[in-house]
């Protein structure tokens, strides 16, 4: 039986020392005040909402090794990434179709750049403290072109993604001429695409699996991604290529564990395993000498730091390169994965990707090694949770005082445990809110309390 671990204490990060203080709610994006006379709830900054100050020592040491940061720099970087993600999300909602992407730069991620196709938007972008870049193509245009390429792609052009920094759709070709043939076959305008040659061949990382390893009944091992629950059932999220529905599993100690309840691969690379009564889901990821807490599932922006846990290579960190990437393995195409600079090797499949204390996804595949470097892709966690109706196991957050005895409940359509995508709208406490960053809602993250996640309409 898995041992429970003590809850890690969560400390607040002082906002005064943050270089990105201007990226909290800038004047162009400030939410209107509530229109009632009820007491104003305590509002968290993005860094506080995402628990940036409570990053575990194991994660900070890995960031120091792989990103060359001191402990203090790593903590500042996590805080800056949280604030930048919230600011970029607000601007995406405000700019609509002219939005062309956002990313962070700098050792401490203290520079946020937001791209737009309309010159008139630049003042509003700068008003938030971000840099503005005027470009030719909107993000929606590039993503729709990528979808057309995805439908016709083969392993000769195995990877496709939108490079928001370069404002172009990138096609990696493993065989000369494959990229150009794909573009011609789909009718995608050539000026949207840049073809680059690659000698790497992404593949699912099948052989030896870890984080906490588990074994499939038919042979082989994979990694536990993140602990989840479904009602009273304990279990975990992992990669779909590790097993099919009905495949039995045993744990790292070879004790009978459970079975796959759902699996998708190719198309996506997601699955979940329901455990038997001998196993308990815990809100931690195995680090290099300790456990790293999981407090939520807010996906971080391009340029953000991200760390991965796997049984073959342990803890390694890098940065997010592109979201919504498509990869064609020999087994077929998967879409919607995130491309990273984190290394991985066979045996790391299914393992956890985490940014600070925010769960990002589960390892799908990649190329290269942790000796020579490489590229790795992860299946984002929120779509997996939504597909299977799962609740991420977290260390929890302070829900605040809430209504007193005899006071009316806030009501509305917002609900803890539901997965929300950017752009979704809810009602809460008599007001309407739009989701800014995809996440699974939890107690303490009610819309009025977390402007990093919700915008008052």
């Amino acid at each position: 039986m898995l041992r429970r671990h003590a809850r890690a204490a969560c400390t607040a990060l002082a906002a005064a020392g943050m270089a990105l203080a201007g990226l909290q709610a800038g004047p162009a994006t400030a939410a209107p005040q509530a229109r009632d006379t009820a007491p104003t709830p305590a509002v968290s900054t993005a860094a506080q909402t995402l628990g940036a100050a409570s990053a575990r020592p194991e994660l900070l040491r890995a960031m120091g090794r792989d990103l060359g940061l001191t402990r203090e720099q790593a903590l500042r970087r996590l805080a800056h990434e949280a604030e930048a993600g919230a600011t970029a999300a607000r601007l995406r909602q405000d700019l609509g179709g002219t939005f062309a992407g956002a990313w962070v730069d700098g050792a401490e991620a203290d520079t946020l750049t937001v791209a737009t196709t309309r010159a008139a938007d630049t003042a509003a972008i700068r008003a938030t403290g971000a840099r503005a870049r005027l470009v030719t193509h909107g993000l929606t245009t590039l993503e729709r072109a990528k979808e057309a390429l995805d439908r016709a792609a083969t392993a000769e052009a195995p990877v496709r993604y939108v490079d928001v920094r370069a404002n172009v759709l990138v096609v990696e070709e493993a065989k000369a001429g494959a990229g150009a043939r794909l573009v011609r076959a789909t009718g995608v305008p050539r000026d949207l695409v840049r073809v680059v040659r690659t000698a790497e061949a992404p593949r699912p990382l099948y052989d030896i699996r870890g984080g906490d390893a588990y074994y499939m009944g038919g042979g082989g091992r994979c990694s536990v991604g993140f602990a989840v629950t479904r009602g009273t059932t304990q279990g975990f999220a992992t990669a779909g290529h590790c097993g099919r529905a009905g495949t039995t599993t045993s744990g790292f100690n070879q004790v009978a564990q459970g079975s796959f309840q759902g699996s998708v691969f190719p198309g996506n690379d997601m699955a979940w395993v329901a455990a038997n009564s001998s196993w308990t889901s815990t809100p931690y990821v195995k680090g290099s000498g300790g456990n790293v807490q999981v407090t939520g599932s807010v996906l971080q922006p391009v340029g953000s730091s991200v760390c991965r846990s796997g049984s073959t290579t342990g803890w390694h960190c890098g940065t997010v390169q592109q979201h919504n990437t498509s990869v064609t393995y020999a087994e077929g195409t998967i879409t919607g994965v995130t491309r990273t600079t984190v290394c991985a090797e066979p045996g790391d499949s299914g393992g956890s990707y985490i940014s600070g204390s925010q769960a990002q996804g589960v390892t799908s595949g990649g190329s290269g090694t942790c000796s020579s470097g490489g590229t790795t892709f992860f299946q984002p966690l929120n779509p997996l949770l939504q597909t299977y109706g799962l609740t991420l196991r977290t260390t929890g957050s302070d829900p605040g005082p809430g209504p007193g005895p005899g006071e009316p409940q806030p009501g509305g359509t917002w609900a803890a445990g539901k997965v929300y995508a950017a752009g979704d709208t809810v009602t809460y406490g008599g007001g309407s809110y739009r989701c800014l960053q995809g996440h699974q809602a939890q107690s303490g993250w009610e819309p009025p309390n977390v402007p990093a996640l919700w915008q008052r309409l």
Side-chain angles (χ1 to χ4, degrees):
M1 183 175 289
L2 294 181
R3 184 176 60 188
R4 293 181 180 271
H5 302 280
R7 171 182 288 187
C10 181
T11 59
L13 181 70
M18 293 177 55
L20 287 189
L23 294 183
Q24 293 184 29
T29 59
Q33 296 296 314
R35 296 179 178 82
D36 52 42
T37 59
T40 302
V43 176
S44 298
T45 67
Q48 290 168 336
T49 297
L50 304 193
S54 59
R56 296 285 294 180
E58 293 78 12
L59 184 140
L60 298 176
R61 285 196 294 269
M63 291 177 68
R65 178 195 64 206
D66 295 338
L67 299 176
L69 304 175
T70 65
R71 178 182 181 278
E72 291 71 24
Q73 287 176 319
L75 284 169
R76 286 196 293 268
R77 178 171 183 129
L78 292 172
H80 293 164
E81 290 169 353
E83 300 298 343
T87 299
R90 293 187 196 104
L91 284 169
R92 181 168 192 169
Q93 292 294 331
D94 292 344
L95 302 184
T98 67
F99 178 82
W103 60 94
V104 293
D105 288 303
E108 296 181 11
D110 53 1
T111 301
L112 170 66
T113 302
V114 177
T116 179
T117 60
R118 184 172 57 195
D121 294 335
T122 58
I125 292 171
R126 294 189 183 106
T128 68
R131 292 180 177 178
R133 180 176 293 179
L134 188 63
V135 298
T136 304
H137 309 298
L139 184 59
T140 299
T141 297
L142 294 171
E143 289 184 335
R144 286 176 177 169
K146 187 182 76 67
E147 291 171 1
L149 298 182
D150 291 346
R151 289 190 288 269
T154 69
E156 291 184 346
V159 178
R160 300 153 307 279
Y161 54 83
V162 174
D163 185 342
V164 292
R165 287 185 172 94
N167 193 231
V168 70
L169 171 55
V170 176
V171 175
E172 295 184 359
E173 62 177 13
K175 185 175 181 180
R181 288 193 296 273
L182 177 61
V183 172
R184 286 196 302 270
T186 56
V188 168
R190 189 64 179 83
D191 67 321
L192 299 182
V193 180
R194 185 177 70 210
V195 177
V196 298
R197 190 69 186 273
T198 180
E200 298 179 344
R203 79 285 190 199
L205 303 174
Y206 280 110
D207 303 333
I208 304 172
R209 317 299 173 176
D212 263 345
Y214 68 92
Y215 300 80
M216 288 80 77
R221 288 187 290 171
C222 270
S223 308
V224 172
F226 290 95
V228 299
T229 58
R230 185 173 179 179
T232 59
T233 301
Q234 312 282 316
F236 58 86
T238 189
H241 71 260
C242 292
R244 298 301 183 194
T247 299
T248 59
T249 68
S250 57
F252 66 92
N253 52 6
Q254 300 286 359
V255 171
Q257 180 188 63
S259 63
F260 279 74
Q261 301 300 297
S263 176
V264 177
F265 180 78
N268 299 116
D269 198 357
M270 60 173 69
W272 83 283
V273 171
N276 61 38
S277 60
S278 296
W279 295 83
T280 300
S281 295
T282 62
Y284 300 98
V285 170
K286 182 179 179 181
S288 55
N291 292 298
V292 175
Q293 64 179 347
V294 178
T295 66
S297 62
V298 179
L299 192 66
Q300 296 298 283
V302 168
S304 297
S305 59
V306 67
C307 298
R308 178 194 53 73
S309 179
S311 62
T312 300
T313 57
W315 269 100
H316 286 277
C317 298
T319 58
V320 173
Q321 294 299 286
Q322 288 87 24
H323 293 303
N324 194 23
T325 297
S326 299
V327 183
T328 302
Y329 299 131
E331 296 86 346
T333 295
I334 60 172
T335 60
V337 295
T338 295
R339 183 174 181 262
T340 77
T341 65
V342 187
C343 69
E345 297 180 9
D348 292 327
S349 260
S352 320
Y353 270 82
I354 191 166
S355 183
S357 63
Q358 297 299 303
Q360 300 296 294
V362 298
T363 305
S364 173
S367 55
T369 70
C370 286
S371 298
S372 61
T375 300
T376 309
F377 308 94
F378 69 76
Q379 162 69 54
L381 184 63
N382 285 323
L384 189 158
L385 298 175
Q386 185 172 38
T387 296
Y388 297 119
L390 305 173
T391 299
L392 176 66
R393 191 68 188 274
T394 67
T395 54
S397 57
D398 182 4
E407 294 181 359
Q409 298 296 314
T413 59
W414 180 89
K418 185 173 179 179
V419 175
Y420 292 103
D424 288 349
T425 59
V426 299
T427 57
Y428 184 87
S432 297
Y433 297 83
R434 178 185 291 117
C435 179
L436 295 172
Q437 301 186 80
H439 64 283
Q440 184 169 60
Q442 55 182 285
S443 180
W445 284 8
E446 292 80 5
N449 302 346
V450 284
L453 304 180
W454 293 98
Q455 182 180 48
R456 179 75 180 257
L457 298 177

